[in-house]
Amino acid sequence: MDFRASLDYLPNDEADKLIAAMENEAVSHCLLLNTKKLSDAEFVKRYPNVRKHPFVEHAYYYNKEEYDFGKNIFYDNGVFSIQDASAMMVPFFLQPEEDDVILDYCAAPGGKSIGCSLAMNDKGCIISNDISYPRAKAMSQNVERMGRGNIIVASNDFVFSYVHFQNTFDKIIVDAPCSGSAMMRKNDLAKADWSPEKVKRNSRKQLDILENAYAMLKEGGTLIYSTCSFSIEEDEGTLLSFQVRHPELEFVMPHVDSPMFYHGEKIPESIYLFPHRFEGEGQFICMLRKPGELRKTKRTTQVNDRYKLFINDFGLEGRSNEMMRSKFYSLYQHFDVTHLNILRYGVKLFEMRDIYIPDHHLAHFLTPNYSIPLSLEDARAYIRGETFPLERPDGFYIIAYDSHNLGFVKVTQGIAKNHYPKGLRRDWDPNK
């Protein structure tokens, strides 16, 4: 069976339009703005040719030939997250709230977790998990770059640990592994790798993931299931098979509707974001709810008096400030990670050494109120990894340019020693 034949669940004209769109070059680029760092008005003033996303607040389409935002210093500073416009719709439909405890089951590279974190104003708690440790590590770097303070990054196979988290999460995102047909127009390997056998393998895997996720969902909780596949076996087919196992679950209609959405024939509550209807690479999305009354988790925090001066200096009082494996972290609220393999527990503050060195994540989490503004010349030197004069008493300082925190320096005898991460250092052109 070829891919076109696998679309036999669609009317012929819909399938033809989808195939035509997939054969066009992928030209859609989109980003999600971190308004804690830059307002919409200021962003549009600086980049007037961006276009608003039709649904997602603070999200914008852009032309990469005009604005190469991936090379922009604002990207390094966590001012925005570059994401596919279709994938952004998962947090949009989920509607995360500030008191939610959320699991993002297959989270890497972290865009959906970051979208939820921004919508929650850094409150609540998100466990952003990926079974692949290298992918989770890259996701952890994205969380650091964006300066998020309510995300735990973890790398676990919940086949072995889901029993410890039964009835734990208010909301769960399952962005399931799939055959990736929505990636075909921007990735020739995805096209070459697609096969009906791969679709069947993934549908079996998806059912197992849903089973574990559903067990961890609270009564009354919401699970949102998504794929970047247009194969019905991995989309409505998987969910209908899961409903046979759990006839009590309820499919949920999204809070908005649009001609841009193609509703599933077998599950009308489900939505296909086809690229000929919706400007993006494509996504299948469906929400389901577990019966019962949702009881939210009461927020608790761990108090740490040993580093009280450090906590107070950076305005971290009232958060859960905890030492884990010789690393000091700050999370909006406490979450028991005894049965999780974690890479990051909220904001990493420092590691225990002979002296403690404040972490880059803290600089990106805090506002410019805690920083020293630099000239353009000194800011460029900092991004290159160089030292420069800074007349301050000896100690650690956050430095900023253009009202955005760059990172830490350590001043010794009037010289700022560079603590910008080595992997980010470059010869920065401020005109880009």
Side-chain angles (χ1 to χ4, degrees):
M1 180 195 297
D2 63 10
F3 177 69
R4 176 63 177 81
S6 75
L7 301 177
D8 60 359
Y9 67 96
L10 295 174
N12 284 333
D13 62 333
E14 194 76 29
D16 290 342
K17 290 174 183 177
L18 174 57
I19 291 295
M22 293 176 68
E23 289 174 351
N24 291 333
E25 183 181 358
V27 294
S28 176
H29 299 281
C30 204
L31 61 79
L32 183 61
L33 189 63
N34 182 352
T35 55
K36 179 181 175 181
K37 295 177 180 285
L38 191 68
S39 70
D40 289 272
E42 181 62 25
F43 178 73
V44 173
K45 181 180 177 181
R46 291 172 183 248
Y47 308 103
N49 293 333
V50 297
R51 295 179 290 114
K52 283 187 176 181
H53 191 289
F55 300 99
V56 180
E57 196 174 14
H58 316 305
Y60 296 89
Y61 291 101
Y62 65 94
N63 185 332
K64 190 176 179 181
E65 298 299 319
E66 182 175 10
Y67 304 131
D68 195 355
F69 283 121
K71 296 179 180 178
N72 191 300
I73 192 67
F74 280 166
Y75 176 81
D76 294 345
N77 291 347
V79 174
F80 48 72
S81 171
I82 296 175
Q83 302 180 17
D84 173 54
S86 304
M88 288 183 189
M89 294 296 287
V90 173
F92 172 78
F93 286 136
L94 186 62
Q95 296 183 282
E97 299 172 340
E98 291 184 354
D99 59 349
D100 280 336
V101 178
I102 296 176
L103 170 64
D104 192 349
Y105 194 114
C106 314
K112 295 176 179 67
S113 290
I114 288 168
C116 288
S117 176
L118 291 167
M120 294 162 72
N121 297 312
D122 246 338
K123 297 180 180 179
C125 183
I126 302 167
I127 289 72
S128 190
N129 178 76
D130 203 273
I131 191 172
S132 163
Y133 185 85
R135 284 169 58 83
K137 187 174 180 180
M139 180 166 63
S140 182
Q141 293 169 346
N142 281 332
V143 170
E144 174 187 271
R145 180 179 58 80
M146 293 296 294
R148 306 320 297 155
N150 64 343
I151 297 178
I152 297 170
V153 180
S155 182
N156 296 269
D157 185 346
F158 281 113
V159 168
F160 303 104
S161 57
Y162 80 94
V163 292
H164 301 292
F165 299 100
Q166 295 189 63
N167 197 38
T168 294
F169 299 102
D170 304 309
K171 294 182 173 78
I172 296 179
I173 300 170
V174 175
D175 186 33
C178 65
S179 58
S181 46
M183 300 293 103
M184 285 182 178
R185 67 175 185 166
K186 72 174 185 179
N187 187 337
D188 289 338
L189 289 177
K191 185 182 295 185
D193 192 47
W194 187 91
S195 68
E197 291 72 28
K198 185 176 182 180
V199 170
K200 291 176 184 176
R201 286 197 305 271
N202 276 302
S203 64
R204 291 192 292 268
K205 187 185 300 183
Q206 291 158 357
L207 271 174
D208 292 339
I209 290 172
L210 279 171
E211 197 68 58
N212 295 335
Y214 194 70
M216 293 187 283
L217 186 67
K218 286 181 182 178
E219 292 183 357
T222 301
L223 185 151
I224 190 163
Y225 176 82
S226 65
T227 75
C228 54
S229 169
F230 300 136
S231 297
I232 195 169
E233 295 88 348
E234 296 173 285
D235 299 335
E236 292 174 86
T238 292
L239 290 175
L240 289 170
S241 296
F242 188 66
Q243 188 184 40
V244 170
R245 298 182 183 182
H246 298 278
E248 76 284 359
L249 69 81
E250 172 193 2
F251 292 119
V252 180
M253 189 69 74
H255 62 287
V256 297
D257 200 3
S258 168
M260 298 181 189
F261 309 156
Y262 184 87
H263 287 274
E265 298 293 331
K266 297 182 177 181
I267 305 177
E269 298 86 353
S270 68
I271 287 173
Y272 293 86
L273 297 177
F274 292 139
H276 63 282
R277 287 174 171 257
F278 185 96
E279 188 177 357
E281 296 311 308
Q283 201 88 10
F284 171 82
I285 302 172
C286 187
M287 289 186 292
L288 61 87
R289 185 172 290 128
K290 181 184 279 191
E293 181 183 353
L294 180 62
R295 299 182 183 274
K296 292 293 186 79
T297 303
K298 184 179 179 180
R299 180 181 180 236
T300 61
T301 60
Q302 299 283 335
V303 177
N304 188 298
D305 290 327
R306 182 176 179 182
Y307 301 105
K308 188 174 183 179
L309 182 61
F310 183 96
I311 290 167
N312 292 345
D313 282 348
F314 291 113
L316 301 171
E317 317 92 88
R319 295 174 60 82
S320 201
N321 300 302
E322 307 176 49
M323 185 66 70
M324 293 188 182
R325 303 171 190 168
S326 300
K327 299 174 184 177
F328 196 34
Y329 292 99
S330 182
L331 189 68
Y332 178 74
Q333 66 190 60
H334 172 74
F335 186 88
D336 184 357
V337 294
T338 303
H339 299 286
L340 287 178
N341 177 33
I342 67 165
L343 288 75
R344 188 177 299 272
Y345 185 84
V347 183
K348 184 180 176 186
L349 304 180
F350 59 79
E351 291 189 35
M352 289 302 299
R353 299 179 182 175
D354 294 336
I355 60 169
Y356 56 77
I357 301 173
D359 194 82
H360 186 67
H361 192 172
L362 177 59
H364 278 206
F365 172 72
L366 295 173
T367 68
N369 295 336
Y370 294 90
S371 61
I372 299 169
L374 295 184
S375 67
L376 174 59
E377 180 182 0
D378 286 345
R380 292 190 69 186
Y382 181 75
I383 298 300
R384 288 194 296 266
E386 299 170 1
T387 60
F388 51 90
L390 189 61
E391 290 300 326
R392 288 289 193 281
D394 287 4
F396 287 98
Y397 296 91
I398 300 173
I399 49 87
Y401 175 72
D402 195 15
S403 298
H404 295 98
N405 292 348
L406 300 178
F408 276 96
V409 295
K410 184 182 181 183
V411 174
T412 304
Q413 297 180 343
I415 298 297
K417 297 185 177 180
N418 205 302
H419 281 262
Y420 196 56
K422 292 182 179 179
L424 299 179
R425 296 177 183 181
R426 58 190 172 93
D427 190 9
W428 166 49
D429 181 354
N431 295 316
K432 292 185 177 180

